[in-house]
Amino acid sequence: MFLVLIYSPYILIGAAASLVTLTYISWHKGIQNLRLKLSAQNTDHPCKDTEDNITAGDLRRRIKQLPDVVQKYMKAVSHEVENLADEEIVPFARSLSMEQEGQLLINGQFIAFTATEEFRTRYKHAGFVWDAVTKTQYIPNQVAMPTNVCIAYVNGAGMVKAALPMGIPVMVVPSNTPMLNQGELIRWAAEATLFPLALVPPKNTIENADDNTSTEETALKWLPSEEGDGNSAILELKHHTTTARLLFHFNSDTHLVTS
């Protein structure tokens, strides 16, 4: 006896649609879990976040102790603080939610993308989750395929992954490696210029700027640039087990920063 199975094209189409739906749900569930972990960073920290209660007078004193070029930049981009009385509390956002649309230059090719990003503004809780969809041509002169891309830095661990809508991975990068963690921490520092007050060191860091023996799990400080041009400075950031140094160039006319 022979058993003949006849597959209807509608059944195959339905199965394919179900697979795509399941992988879509799985991808976005993973993104949501990352965002929840990112949000939990603020509440899990054992110390009370004193930055919630920073006064305008204290902030001005901190800025005055930074390298000259950083002082000028901070004063220019936080001019509204100058109108606050010394005892007034400075509004300090915990996070930013951004929607982005643009093009990435990869291997000489411009690739369109749309993305959402959750970004924590406190250096003690540094982190972000970037969730994007790109249109990528995997075969030259063929139709571009949508690709899900996630780049994140959560709880001191970097992560990069990319997959087609049907769940086929197109990029496999080992997570939580020293090099990747440093790269994503550098990205956090560069993007923190969207909220410049995130890059003002706390009082104890400024007072001990020359002390390289600190055992704190997190630390942020500005150092004079080795270029000695008066238009740049070095940001050094320690977070968990990762240390990143980033050279910032400041434009005194536009107040734009490049790194």
Side-chain angles (χ1 to χ4, degrees), residues 27-252:
W27 175 273
H28 287 280
K29 185 177 181 180
I31 298 297
Q32 183 61 24
N33 287 338
L34 282 173
R35 289 172 176 165
L36 290 174
K37 290 179 181 179
L38 187 67
S39 298
Q41 290 183 166
N42 275 9
T43 56
D44 289 346
H45 200 275
C47 301
K48 184 180 185 297
D49 198 339
T50 56
E51 298 304 299
D52 283 335
N53 300 312
I54 183 173
T55 64
D58 187 24
L59 179 62
R60 284 192 281 265
R61 284 189 290 273
R62 295 187 196 185
I63 290 176
K64 286 181 180 178
Q65 297 181 66
L66 300 176
D68 289 344
V69 66
V70 185
Q71 281 189 48
K72 294 176 183 178
Y73 169 72
M74 290 297 178
K75 290 177 181 178
V77 298
S78 61
H79 54 84
E80 67 278 1
V81 175
E82 295 300 317
N83 298 323
L84 298 178
D86 282 352
E87 67 278 6
E88 288 190 77
I89 301 298
V90 177
F92 204 104
R94 286 179 177 272
S95 63
L96 299 175
S97 296
M98 297 173 278
E99 294 185 357
Q100 305 166 351
E101 183 176 352
Q103 292 183 319
L104 299 171
L105 181 59
I106 301 178
N107 297 328
Q109 178 184 6
F110 283 99
I111 299 175
F113 77 92
T114 57
T116 59
E117 182 173 11
E118 296 295 325
F119 187 90
R120 312 310 286 185
T121 62
R122 313 303 178 87
Y123 82 93
K124 288 184 178 181
H125 315 291
F128 65 88
V129 176
W130 189 73
D131 178 28
V133 177
T134 68
K135 296 292 184 66
T136 306
Q137 283 188 339
Y138 294 100
I139 302 176
N141 302 319
Q142 297 298 315
V143 176
M145 298 184 65
T147 303
N148 295 315
V149 180
C150 178
I151 302 176
Y153 182 76
V154 179
N155 290 327
M159 188 193 75
V160 177
K161 64 178 182 178
L164 297 176
M166 62 285 295
I168 301 174
V170 294
M171 181 185 298
V172 178
V173 178
S175 299
N176 198 18
T177 63
M179 183 176 293
L180 182 60
N181 295 347
Q182 185 182 59
E184 301 314 329
L185 183 58
I186 288 175
R187 171 172 172 164
W188 179 90
E191 291 190 345
T193 54
L194 294 169
F195 191 80
L197 294 184
L199 299 179
V200 176
K203 183 178 180 181
N204 62 330
T205 303
I206 293 175
E207 291 175 345
N208 299 296
D210 297 326
D211 182 5
N212 295 319
T213 62
S214 173
T215 58
E216 287 190 28
E217 187 180 57
T218 58
L220 181 152
K221 60 183 177 181
W222 285 95
L223 304 170
S225 169
E226 297 173 356
E227 295 184 2
D229 57 3
N231 296 314
S232 58
I234 296 172
L235 177 71
E236 183 174 279
L237 176 60
K238 179 182 179 182
H239 188 251
H240 288 268
T241 60
T242 302
T243 299
R245 288 169 62 95
L246 190 60
L247 178 65
F248 284 85
H249 292 273
F250 300 87
N251 187 311
S252 58

